[in-house]
């Protein structure tokens, strides 16, 4: 069983799946505990809009509707054929339906390869379907739902709404849909992509760009076969003004192993998925609840322009908790100006907290209109990008019904202020549900059951799309040196794209060493060209201060390691250098990825590295450097001068261009020595792809 | 207004508050929107158990019960007097009630100092109350509730249950109680401590140790006046077999500022609160929701013995998400043995995932008893400390009511397995509520609405109490050197408790320097004794290889810095040293705290430090070292030999004994050079307390 996403979004032939003129359910059942019943019942809901055929082997009525015993009994087109029959009979049904001109298939049934007794049977089926000009979703899927076309071909119920769900796991997609419903939200289209023998998750996601009812998408994927297709699908969504929330797994060894056994495919590293999401403009979350809570904001409210949040709470405790949670989530609880404090103070009792967070101190309770006035006073602040109202508000309609109208009026004022100002207002209410909160959702004010969910959603909305960029094509000189192993070849390759090294010479004899000491400024470093981990293997000697020391070191190393290419290199003795690591590698799903991180002997300990899809421009490389914890080492740590950040960014960008060189599997420059007067690579390794080596 | 917790738990006189024979509500109201109405209504609910007097200035009936116009009209004792009158009249009511032998007060009214026009008026009131042998809770509080004694003297409603809530913020306590009710849990006792002029949060917490109905406590505190009292209260709770969850604020600058303006007191650093919680055996959470979700487990289920969790999910996606969330939360998704995998495989369909996480792959749906069998197979594994069942289970009773009984039977089997094995089973259900989930809660299986909430609670339960310890009294030599500034004095003080330094001599003249070079092994380091940040002020020269270099360095430094005590010290030139920082400081709430962290010039960047309440034993110091990210540097990093960890732990423990030396405000040893053959401090600073300096 394979679930690789193998195509870039093509979208051809999908309309016959989302909005078929005819639906034929093969395997309709009268037993309400069977999938065949759910599918038949769902299909009949669209009977006002399209022809529905139900096929049941015994011809029993389903939901009071007559069925036929076989496809042969149906007159006219079959349209979209829903496959809910035993796995072994699926190929036969498909072939018969194709003969009858079926335009699409929805494969619910699982285990076809096993039932047929031949791995690849599902794939062959898909090839026959595509050759006939039709498409298939699944098999082994939970079904599809589309609120816009009254298409309900899935197990379970869906609350209608504006969230498009595309899921590699039917059950997890179902959990997402259920969580949305619990929060007063709903689903616009649900696509359980199953084994993706034809329609991939990427394609189903891309199709949401043109789906009017969809305002935001949640994608659950366990593996990203064709990562570029996913990136492209997210871009199409963004071009249509819609955001994508990505849920995936593989952060732990246990989930990697589980996904491998579950879908037969590899998960990508979370740092690589995050790099792809950043480039595409999507955002990754870790759980279905986080996905829905973020989608709640993205589907209803304006995007915040930045991370500066004003917190308005019914009590000092709630405001302080909100501030801590917001700060930890990377939001900026921006201090208010004296003017803003005075404006807020005018609206509130003497005990109130008028900084940020605001503590209403009973001001809201005394006059409900105060809630709206204070939030408006925050929204008017040019230094505020979003407001979170946290605490009791939303409970009045339940606890003191006489105040329900007043509370609703506040909600309407807030919604009008959001519409006028284009800044989101989020509500965290102690009340699980009330008419006021329902009204808030209707008017586009997202409502959250905990302060961490409100803050988590806001934090996601602040980050989504912020660093979206088009990954450029590599820019390379017209002729590139060959890709070969060894330090000298790596130097030549990296120098060709613009990475600088200290001057060096290849030396094979004592005489070569003597000549090189005359040509290169000392002191020198001696290295064995072909050895990878030089320090561990005694293949590097530093600080050779005079020619005799260089000769002696060469004699010793040559005696030990034998004939071969050695390198005598001018030693980098500049002051105020900071060691950095940079590299390039290839992810099976997302392709080339460039890395930069803190260097030095303890680099591995601190795990201070950042990734981006490669290549990157110098501008993007600058943003990578800024994300490092060790960025402060580069900008003048404890009174030292700053390193040449432009040169460092250009070096990272230059190295990343090797993404375009065939035969390069991996590049590591370690260390890259950044100093105030420039950047020098002093060791480098290029690993060839296995094909090239063979 | 001050809210310091100023007492250690004394508990005397509190029974008259939790279970008074008489309650007198002064300020009872017939207006259902008024506090006086809530308090009167609540008091009347206990009328079957105690005498209730209602005082209303106009003598109107409240809830059909007659009131009196003044205390004078009441015959007999007043018992617990609830103060819900305008702030200015509170002192008069208190004094009259004390004259009538009132045994306790509940101060709802806020703003007494301001109304009386004198800061400290509340405190004076408390002193008069205590002098009369009575106690007061509040003022400025939301009230108290006790399910055991039918005492409901608070705004709002409380679902009865087993969680004791003690809150410095009434509203936040109310949010906690509401969240508990939403999760099918409830409150055993609720204490809004308000301004804590008498009964402190620590005392109210300690009282829960003897409160039968309370199984677990949630404490919300914005400041910890007497931190030792809080630590002691948590210990009393633990001694009674009850856990304490601590919610506090101050992690961000915004919340620190808000708390200071709200309660007039300082928050403690989160790392210090965490150290105190670790020592006491409590655990800190960041939000009310986290507090309730953890309390749900602690109040119902056995504590997990360790972090090894088995994850059982209805689908591969849900299992993988659970594994990633568990791994990130520090739990151990322990791989199953081949035997365990085979046992699980026997229970499930061919497609199932039988490692950890387990993917039931429809096995549960086919036969509900499978849920119980698989969970039991996990519980029987000696390598498993807890099981989380995640996904669809819990929904059958709603989606297919015919299976409700079967689902309930599974719940009962699971509960029996928990009781028999003493290991917790947590449920995460996609279903918001069902009869099965209600039954699960009744039987002590905690139920969660999201996988992250289940995992968060389990992770908290794994950590709570794990490192609880009695902070020992400092052990000091019978006579200690004086506490003075300067490096030499710091050396003497630290050497007295057992910290080692390189040999050194005080030098004031060139002749002293020459003498010292004969007595001490070179090379040497020269330092100016009295200068704190020596490197920045040119007050240290290292690597003085011969006596003339030492003399020259002395002449230069003396010429620049003038007469005074200088130190010539043998330079530590050992190989394979790792630099560490260690220190001691005093927190206003929790007292002395010992710190150890990664050293070196980049230490501040990586923020790799850990704290414990001081002093610590060498054993505790070892656990501190193990918590450092840089611990791996100490244990043999990249082929280097390990440092002498015992010597390092002993040094940290030795330094921490200075907690017992009067006059020591702060100690910093930086760097402490740890090597395979021992540990040497090569710079140290002792800061005297201001009193001592004065």
């Amino acid at each position: 069983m394979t679930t690789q996403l193998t195509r870039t979004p093509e979208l051809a032939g999908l309309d016959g799946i989302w909005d078929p003129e005819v639906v034929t359910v093969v395997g309709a059942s009268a037993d309400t505990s069977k999938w065949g019943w759910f599918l038949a019942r769902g299909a009949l809901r669209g009977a006002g809009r399209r022809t529905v055929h139900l096929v049941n082997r015994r011809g029993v009525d389903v939901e009071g509707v007559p069925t036929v015993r076989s496809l042969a009994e149906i007159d006219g087109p079959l349209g979209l054929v829903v496959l809910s029959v035993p796995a072994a009979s699926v190929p036969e049904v498909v072939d018969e339906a194709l003969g009858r001109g079926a335009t699409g298939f929805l494969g619910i049934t699982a285990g076809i390869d096993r039932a047929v007794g031949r791995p690849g049977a599902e794939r062959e089926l898909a090839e026959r379907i595509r050759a006939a000009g039709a498409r298939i979703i699944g098999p082994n899927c939970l079904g599809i739902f589309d609120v816009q076309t009254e298409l309900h071909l899935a197990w379970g119920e869906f609350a209608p709404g504006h969230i498009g769900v595309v899921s590699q796991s039917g059950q997890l997609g179902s959990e997402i849909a259920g969580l949305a419903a619990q929060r007063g939200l709903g689903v616009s289209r649900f696509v359980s992509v199953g084994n993706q023998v034809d329609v991939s998750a990427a394609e189903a996601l891309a199709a949401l760009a043109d789906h009017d009812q969809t305002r935001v998408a949640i994608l659950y994927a366990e593996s990203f076969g064709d990562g570029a297709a996913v990136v492209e699908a997210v871009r199409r969504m963004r071009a249509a003004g819609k955001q994508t929330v990505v849920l995936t797994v593989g952060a732990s060894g246990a989930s990697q192993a589980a996904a491998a056994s579950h879908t037969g495919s590899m998960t990508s590293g979370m740092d690589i998925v995050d790099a792809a999401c950043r480039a595409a403009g999507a955002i990754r979350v870790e759980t279905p609840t986080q996905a829905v809570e973020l989608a709640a904001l993205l589907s209803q409210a304006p995007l915040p322009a930045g991370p500066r949040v004003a917190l308005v709470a019914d009590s000092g405790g709630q405001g302080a908790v909100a501030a801590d949670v917001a700060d930890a989530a990377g939001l900026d609880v921006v201090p208010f100006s004296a003017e803003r404090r005075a404006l807020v103070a005018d609206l509130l009792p003497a005990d109130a907290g008028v900084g940020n967070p605001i503590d209403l101190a009973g001001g809201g309770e005394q006059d409900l209109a105060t809630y709206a006035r204070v939030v408006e006073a925050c929204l008017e602040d040019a230094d505020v990008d979003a407001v979170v109202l946290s605490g009791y508000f939303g409970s009045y309609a339940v606890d003191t019904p006489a105040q329900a109208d007043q509370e609703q009026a506040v909600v309407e004022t807030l919604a009008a202020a959001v519409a006028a100002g284009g800044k989101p207002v989020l509500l965290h209410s102690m009340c699980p549900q009330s008419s006021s909160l329902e009204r808030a959702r209707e008017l586009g004010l997202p409502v959250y059951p905990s302060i961490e969910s409100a803050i988590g959603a806001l934090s996601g909305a602040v980050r989504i799309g912020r660093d979206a960029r088009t990954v450029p094509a590599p820019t390379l000189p017209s002729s590139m040196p060959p890709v070969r192993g060894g330090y000298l070849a790596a130097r030549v390759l990296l120098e060709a794209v613009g990475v600088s090294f200290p001057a060096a010479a290849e030396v094979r004899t004592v005489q070569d060493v003597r000549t090189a000491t005359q040509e290169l400024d000392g002191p020198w470093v001696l290295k064995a060209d072909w050895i990878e981990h030089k320090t561990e293997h005694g293949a590097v000697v530093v600080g050779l201060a005079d020619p005799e020391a260089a000769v002696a070191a060469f004699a010793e190393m040559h005696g030990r390691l034998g004939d071969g290419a050695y390198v005598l290199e001018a030693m980098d003795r500049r002051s105020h250098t900071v060691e950095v690591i940079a590299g390039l590698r290839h992810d099976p799903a997302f392709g080339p990825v460039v890395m930069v991180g803190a260097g030095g002997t303890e680099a591995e300990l601190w795990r201070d590295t950042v990734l981006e899809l490669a290549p990157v421009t110098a501008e993007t490389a600058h943003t990578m450097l800024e994300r490092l914890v060790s960025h402060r080492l580069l900008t003048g740590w404890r009174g030292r001068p700053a390193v040449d950040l432009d040169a460092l960014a250009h070096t990272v960008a230059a190295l990343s261009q090797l993404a375009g060189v065939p035969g390069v599997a991996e590049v590591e420059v370690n260390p890259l020595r950044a100093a105030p007067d420039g950047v020098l690579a002093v060791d480098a390794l290029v690993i060839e792809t296995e094909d090239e080596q063979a």
Side-chain angles (χ1 to χ4, degrees), chain A residues 170-188:
Chain A
Q171 185 86 271
L172 218 130
S174 176
E175 181 176 349
I176 288 167
L179 288 167
Q182 286 169 36
R183 279 157 179 72
L185 304 166
V187 168
S188 50

Side-chain angles (χ1 to χ4, degrees), chain A residues 28-33 36-45 54 56 60-67 157:
Chain A
S29 170
D31 179 343
T32 59
S33 75
W37 176 79
F38 275 100
L39 294 163
R41 183 193 60 161
L44 291 170
R45 289 183 185 170
L54 304 181
N56 174 286
V60 299
D61 286 4
V62 173
E63 295 284 286
V65 173
T67 65
E157 291 291 348

Side-chain angles (χ1 to χ4, degrees), chain A residues 673-684:
Chain A
R673 290 170 57 88
D677 62 350
V679 173
L680 290 173
V682 304
D683 200 6

Side-chain angles (χ1 to χ4, degrees), chain A residues 551-622:
Chain A
V551 165
F554 176 81
E556 189 281 330
M557 198 183 289
H558 182 268
R560 194 156 39 81
L561 301 175
D563 277 350
Y566 292 83
V567 185
L568 197 74
E569 190 173 70
M571 185 168 167
D572 180 27
R573 298 183 70 206
R574 296 170 303 159
S575 304
H576 304 303
T577 56
V578 179
E579 291 197 350
V580 171
I581 306 178
L584 182 79
R585 58 194 166 101
H586 284 259
D587 181 71
F590 292 103
V593 176
V594 59
M595 179 274 284
V596 62
T601 55
E602 298 170 11
E604 193 195 322
L605 186 70
W606 304 115
R607 299 177 191 279
D608 184 30
T609 58
V610 297
L611 300 182
E612 292 293 356
L613 299 193
V616 290
T617 60
E619 194 183 354
T620 302
H622 266 295

Side-chain angles (χ1 to χ4, degrees), chain A residues 7 10 125-135 197-198 203:
Chain A
R7 290 162 214 295
E10 50 178 17
L125 213 57
E127 280 160 25
R128 292 208 294 282
I129 289 168
R130 291 183 56 82
R135 306 294 309 267
V197 293
D198 172 25
E203 195 177 350

Side-chain angles (χ1 to χ4, degrees), chain A residues 205-421:
Chain A
L205 175 62
L208 292 174
D210 301 323
H211 189 242
D212 293 342
Q213 194 74 15
T214 297
R215 293 189 196 153
V216 61
I218 297 175
L219 168 67
Y220 172 72
E222 271 166 39
S223 57
F224 298 89
D226 180 355
V230 178
V231 168
E232 179 54 29
V234 173
R235 288 216 181 97
R236 287 199 195 195
M237 286 286 288
R238 282 177 55 77
K242 303 173 184 185
Q243 307 292 344
T244 303
V245 179
V246 175
L247 175 61
T248 188
V249 294
S252 66
S255 76
Q256 287 157 19
S261 99
H262 182 219
T263 67
S265 47
M266 296 284 290
T267 56
S268 285
M270 287 302 117
D271 45 2
I272 290 175
V273 176
D274 285 338
C277 284
R278 244 189 329 271
I283 197 159
R284 182 175 67 86
V285 295
E286 282 151 12
T287 68
T289 301
Q290 288 173 1
V292 170
E293 285 169 347
L294 177 51
L297 193 160
L298 298 174
S299 68
Q300 298 178 84
L303 273 187
R308 300 166 307 173
V309 62
L311 303 167
V312 182
D314 268 300
S315 72
Q318 286 166 323
V321 168
D324 281 354
V325 174
D327 184 73
L331 297 177
D332 180 7
V333 186
V334 55
F336 287 160
S337 65
E339 292 82 354
R340 187 64 44 188
R341 293 172 65 95
L343 279 171
V344 172
D346 277 350
L347 302 169
L348 292 174
D351 279 347
V354 297
N356 190 9
I358 291 172
D359 167 12
L360 296 173
E365 194 183 332
Q366 285 160 30
D367 175 3
L368 267 64
T370 303
Y371 287 109
R373 288 188 202 114
V374 171
V375 171
E376 285 178 311
C378 294
L379 289 172
E380 283 159 10
D381 190 331
D383 291 337
V384 166
D385 299 312
V387 179
V388 178
L389 175 59
S390 172
Y392 188 77
F393 185 78
S395 312
Y396 293 97
V398 170
D399 289 352
T400 46
Q403 292 181 289
D405 288 348
Q406 270 177 280
E407 193 170 43
Q408 184 157 320
V410 172
V411 165
E412 281 161 13
T413 307
L414 292 177
V418 169

Side-chain angles (χ1 to χ4, degrees), chain A residues 70-73 78 90-102 105:
Chain A
S70 69
L71 292 180
E73 293 179 36
L78 304 180
V90 166
E92 188 188 340
V93 173
V94 166
D95 289 332
E96 186 181 352
L98 285 176
R100 293 282 307 279
F105 293 88

